[in-house]
Amino acid sequence: MKIIFFSAQTYDKTFFNKHNETFGFELEFFDTHLGPHIVHAITSAEAVCVFVNDKVNADVIKALAANGIKIIALRCAGFNNVDLEAAKKYGLKVCRVPAYSPEAVAEHTLAMILTLNRKIHKAYNRVREQNFSLKGLLGFNLHGKTVGVIGTGNIGKAFCRIMIGLGCNVMGHDLSEDQELKKIGVVYKSLNEVFSQSDIISLHCPLTPETHHLINRSTIVQMKQGVMLINTSRGKLINTTDSIEALKTGQIGYLGIDVYEQEEKLFFKDMSENIIDDDTIQRLMSFPNVLVTAHQAFFTAEALNEIALTTFENILQLSSGMEISHKGALLC
Ligand code: NAI
């Protein structure tokens, strides 16, 4: 059975080739995104394997079905880039990797918080230039601060545990409350309460029509002056233009983003020789209190091993008509 990979990076090839020694699939890797420009070139494969910025809309799915593709395997947790209704209509199975390593993303979230707070990015460069002054590096204790976590699923839960461990007061907001988290001290609150009471707000809910631009001008004004906002979930949870306005007034005191509304044109590519045609991200990167990482929160060896293994197991089980063993992996 042949699987065609899109948006494939060197590390994808390394980890998938390693695990394929057990599975024995035929693999083909393309570094380009899946989209209307390439979908007609797909032949003689049964499955495509896609990532966060591949465009799997109705037109692409129709063409995939016409070219004999039976399975769309996402090698990520989020699936907002796939039109599931169209996949059902054309009889394609769609699977994902629901929980490969929630700790990878949760720990990166903490890294962003500590970097922004203790200004590690500035200290690193400063000391290398033999400037040992502490001017401008003042931070605050995380211990005792109130942290609001929006979305307490796999990643949000791992993040809550870390922040409880640091001695923070953790407030959660989700469509359903997690009893284990409540037992360790997480208090569930309304969205408005999370916005108005948190010193740090971290987003861990999926991108859906309800969460699109969850952070916008009218929700930002509810937040504490100087709030720290962290987004490792999906870029479109934040209205970036509104966040820039709030950074200019100081309403947002710190912004850490691992995801960005228009990231598909930039992230996962070396653009160091290019002129960036995106004034919004350029403005964001001009603020000293903004930290941007390029969708790397998932990027640990443990996570990549788990992603490759689960993706192959999903495909094997689907192609042999078995029930998928990974809970939450089958989307349709
Ligand atoms: P999950 O499905 O385990 O948890 C998501 C939680 O959000 C669920 O508990 C759900 O009830 C809740 N939720 C849904 N709609 C909500 C709403 N309107 N308000 C509040 N809560 C809501 O997903 P998981 O694995 O924790 O991942 C969360 C998100 O993180 C993914 O959707 C994905 O976008 C992002 N992600 C980012 C990565 C990165 O490298 N930056 C890597 C993996 C995931």
Side-chain angles (χ1 to χ4, degrees), residues 32-194:
T32 178
H33 289 158
L34 176 59
H37 65 293
I38 189 151
V39 69
H40 296 286
I42 298 171
T43 51
S44 64
E46 283 107 311
V48 290
C49 183
V50 297
F51 198 50
V52 293
N53 292 325
D54 287 300
K55 277 198 174 49
V56 199
N57 60 23
D59 288 344
V60 169
I61 288 172
K62 186 178 173 190
L64 287 174
N67 290 358
I69 295 296
K70 304 273 185 294
I71 299 168
I72 300 169
L74 286 138
R75 54 180 189 279
C76 52
F79 53 91
N80 50 285
N81 53 333
V82 181
D83 187 332
L84 293 180
E85 288 309 312
K88 276 184 217 156
K89 182 174 163 192
Y90 292 104
L92 269 72
K93 294 281 178 210
V94 184
C95 56
R96 64 169 180 149
V97 187
Y100 45 87
S101 177
E103 289 77 18
V105 182
E107 288 170 16
H108 188 78
T109 308
L110 175 65
M112 298 194 93
I113 291 171
L114 287 171
T115 303
L116 281 167
N117 172 17
R118 305 306 291 266
K119 303 172 178 63
I120 304 298
H121 52 313
K122 287 188 190 175
Y124 174 80
N125 286 322
R126 192 179 281 195
V127 169
R128 284 164 70 92
E129 289 175 7
Q130 300 173 37
N131 176 354
F132 302 104
S133 147
L134 299 183
K135 198 172 164 215
L137 300 185
L138 189 66
F140 59 85
N141 284 6
L142 289 178
H143 187 269
K145 292 294 180 297
T146 299
V147 180
V149 182
I150 302 179
T152 56
N154 290 306
I155 295 169
K157 190 169 178 173
F159 177 68
C160 284
R161 288 196 181 114
I162 291 174
M163 300 318 280
I164 291 272
L166 287 172
C168 298
N169 306 311
V170 180
M171 296 190 306
H173 175 77
D174 199 304
L175 305 179
S176 62
E177 300 186 355
D178 185 292
Q179 298 310 318
E180 281 175 21
L181 285 181
K182 284 169 83 169
K183 276 188 202 144
I184 62 164
V186 174
V187 180
Y188 278 88
K189 299 263 185 170
S190 70
L191 203 49
N192 292 351
E193 287 170 314
V194 169

Side-chain angles (χ1 to χ4, degrees), residues 108-319:
H108 188 78
T109 308
L110 175 65
M112 298 194 93
I113 291 171
L114 287 171
T115 303
L116 281 167
N117 172 17
R118 305 306 291 266
K119 303 172 178 63
I120 304 298
H121 52 313
K122 287 188 190 175
Y124 174 80
N125 286 322
R126 192 179 281 195
V127 169
R128 284 164 70 92
E129 289 175 7
Q130 300 173 37
N131 176 354
F132 302 104
S133 147
L134 299 183
K135 198 172 164 215
L137 300 185
L138 189 66
F140 59 85
N141 284 6
L142 289 178
H143 187 269
K145 292 294 180 297
T146 299
V147 180
V149 182
I150 302 179
T152 56
N154 290 306
I155 295 169
K157 190 169 178 173
F159 177 68
C160 284
R161 288 196 181 114
I162 291 174
M163 300 318 280
I164 291 272
L166 287 172
C168 298
N169 306 311
V170 180
M171 296 190 306
H173 175 77
D174 199 304
L175 305 179
S176 62
E177 300 186 355
D178 185 292
Q179 298 310 318
E180 281 175 21
L181 285 181
K182 284 169 83 169
K183 276 188 202 144
I184 62 164
V186 174
V187 180
Y188 278 88
K189 299 263 185 170
S190 70
L191 203 49
N192 292 351
E193 287 170 314
V194 169
F195 285 145
S196 62
Q197 295 172 21
S198 301
D199 299 299
I200 299 169
I201 297 173
S202 193
L203 306 178
H204 299 287
C205 56
L207 175 64
T208 63
E210 293 73 41
T211 61
H212 182 264
H213 284 181
L214 178 72
I215 306 299
N216 59 54
R217 186 171 296 147
S218 66
T219 53
I220 291 170
V221 292
Q222 297 174 38
M223 297 176 193
K224 282 188 181 178
Q225 177 80 15
V227 67
M228 181 186 286
L229 181 62
I230 308 288
N231 185 10
T232 56
S233 192
R234 284 292 179 267
K236 287 191 172 73
L237 295 182
I238 298 183
N239 180 323
T240 314
T241 311
D242 291 356
S243 73
I244 288 173
E245 287 311 309
L247 282 159
K248 281 157 76 176
T249 63
Q251 177 70 23
I252 295 180
Y254 311 80
L255 177 67
I257 54 170
D258 184 53
V259 286
Y260 166 60
E261 283 200 83
Q262 301 173 74
E263 69 177 50
E264 64 275 8
K265 292 186 205 140
L266 304 169
F267 286 10
F268 308 116
K269 297 175 193 151
D270 179 358
M271 304 285 284
S272 54
E273 301 293 323
N274 298 57
I275 304 296
I276 305 286
D277 183 23
D278 179 341
D279 294 348
T280 309
I281 196 148
Q282 295 293 55
R283 181 69 181 104
L284 268 183
M285 291 191 299
S286 74
F287 291 100
N289 51 350
V290 171
L291 177 65
V292 182
T293 54
H295 210 135
Q296 76 171 85
F298 74 100
F299 199 51
T300 66
E302 289 82 356
L304 291 188
N305 270 317
E306 203 51 44
I307 287 171
L309 186 60
T310 306
T311 303
F312 281 149
E313 285 173 351
N314 286 344
I315 293 174
L316 182 67
Q317 289 164 356
L318 278 177
S319 62

